[in-house]
């Protein structure tokens, strides 16, 4: 379903919000699942390729064709992959694959568990 701000809202059987997308300020939201697997919000029925929100901007543990990693400079959005906590638990795990754009851009595998345990710096496991 769509919320009052044009965002996607998932409800549990009791009607409580379990997940929602970012607010989009779309007056007539149209939610579409594209053939490539991208879930998007567009304004009304317009034929524009302008999306107010798209799932490909928020990848999880899988990189599909047409998805992008790294910084979207126009919105300062950092798109990166994260591991699952466990094979039966899809919540965010301890590892991420991120583009480090400081200096010469490189892709690194980050061990976020070190940082969460009070470490001073992220433990970089490998570089590209």
């Amino acid at each position: 379903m769509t919320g009052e701000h044009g965002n996607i809202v998932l409800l549990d059987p009791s009607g409580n919000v379990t997940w929602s997308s970012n607010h989009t300020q779309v007056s007539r939201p149209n939610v579409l699942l594209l053939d490539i697997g991208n879930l998007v919000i567009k304004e009304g029925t317009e034929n524009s390729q302008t999306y107010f929100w798209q799932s490909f901007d928020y990848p999880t543990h899988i990189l599909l064709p047409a998805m992008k990693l790294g910084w979207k400079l126009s919105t300062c959005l950092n798109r990166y992959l994260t591991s699952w906590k466990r094979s039966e638990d899809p919540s965010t795990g301890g590892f991420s694959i991120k583009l480090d754009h400081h200096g010469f851009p490189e892709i690194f595998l980050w061990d976020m568990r070190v940082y969460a345990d009070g470490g001073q710096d992220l433990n970089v496991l490998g570089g590209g």
Side-chain angles (χ1 to χ4, degrees), residues 21-126:
S21 65
N22 299 342
H23 293 267
T24 61
Q25 302 303 324
V26 178
S27 59
R28 296 178 308 136
N30 187 8
V31 179
L32 301 169
L33 179 59
L34 304 179
D35 291 338
I36 60 173
N38 193 7
L39 184 66
V40 300
I41 300 176
K42 295 171 63 167
E43 177 76 40
T45 58
E46 69 179 49
N47 293 326
S48 168
Q49 295 299 314
T50 301
Y51 306 129
F52 292 92
W53 182 89
Q54 60 179 327
S55 62
F56 275 16
D57 280 342
Y58 304 93
T60 55
H61 69 293
I62 295 175
L63 187 65
L64 296 174
M67 283 181 135
K68 297 176 182 176
L69 290 180
W71 287 91
K72 184 175 182 181
L73 297 177
S74 62
T75 61
C76 295
L77 178 68
N78 187 10
R79 297 172 290 208
Y80 57 92
L81 297 175
T82 57
S83 66
W84 280 16
K85 189 171 272 186
R86 290 180 299 281
S87 62
E88 67 282 351
D89 181 358
S91 62
T92 303
F95 296 95
S96 296
I97 295 177
K98 295 183 179 184
L99 176 71
D100 183 358
H101 67 283
H102 298 96
F104 188 76
E106 294 185 84
I107 294 178
F108 290 96
L109 174 62
W110 300 90
D111 182 349
M112 301 300 288
R113 299 169 305 166
V114 172
Y115 192 68
D117 290 339
Q120 297 297 320
D121 294 313
L122 296 177
N123 185 16
V124 179
L125 299 175

Side-chain angles (χ1 to χ4, degrees), residues 8-25:
I8 300 171
V9 178
L10 297 178
L11 305 175
D12 66 15
S14 301
N16 299 314
V17 175
T18 58
W19 178 86
S20 69
S21 65
N22 299 342
H23 293 267
T24 61
Q25 302 303 324

